[in-house]
Amino acid sequence: VSLEAGLYFYGNLSVTVIPMSISLMYILKAWNKPIISQSLTKKLSILTLGVYLIHPILIEVLNYVGYGANDYQPIVMIPLVSSVVFLGSLAISSIIYRVPYAKRIL
């Protein structure tokens, strides 16, 4: 992503994305209400680091096999790819968490 192409603000490390990410983390940290139930929120919170670490791998795999967010109609593919990546990362993270010694990684 280059400045010449006018795509700087779309980059992951642009001047706008970093403060936005930090702000969102503070907002979520201050949010005290459970998602659906207290137990589901607790289970999901345990898996968040795993989802964070695994999701770029799934994005790259989907791009490699030709099912990236921009490969077909973006209005359909962006929500679809986002859902597949999130649910896939959550499933893989859950499987890793169930392995006794791998649990320490997450």
Side-chain angles (χ1 to χ4, degrees):
V1 179
S2 67
L3 289 173
E4 297 84 30
L7 300 175
Y8 174 73
F9 290 104
Y10 293 103
N12 292 335
L13 297 176
S14 73
V15 72
T16 56
V17 171
I18 295 171
M20 181 185 63
S21 301
I22 292 170
S23 300
L24 183 63
M25 289 306 297
Y26 277 113
I27 289 170
L28 291 175
K29 185 177 179 184
W31 190 17
N32 294 326
K33 297 178 183 175
I35 295 171
I36 293 174
S37 69
Q38 193 73 23
S39 63
L40 178 64
T41 303
K42 194 173 257 188
K43 289 176 186 175
L44 288 177
S45 68
I46 291 170
L47 301 175
T48 54
L49 179 62
V51 170
Y52 175 74
L53 294 174
I54 293 167
H55 88 275
I57 298 168
L58 291 181
I59 292 172
E60 288 298 320
V61 168
L62 287 174
N63 284 331
Y64 181 75
V65 296
Y67 290 108
N70 293 323
D71 289 336
Y72 298 103
Q73 290 294 322
I75 197 161
V76 173
M77 291 303 289
I78 290 174
L80 185 64
V81 168
S82 299
S83 300
V84 167
V85 168
F86 174 70
L87 294 174
S89 299
L90 190 63
I92 293 169
S93 181
S94 177
I95 291 168
I96 291 172
Y97 187 75
R98 292 179 188 186
V99 175
Y101 291 108
K103 183 188 296 190
R104 296 178 186 174
I105 295 171
L106 302 179

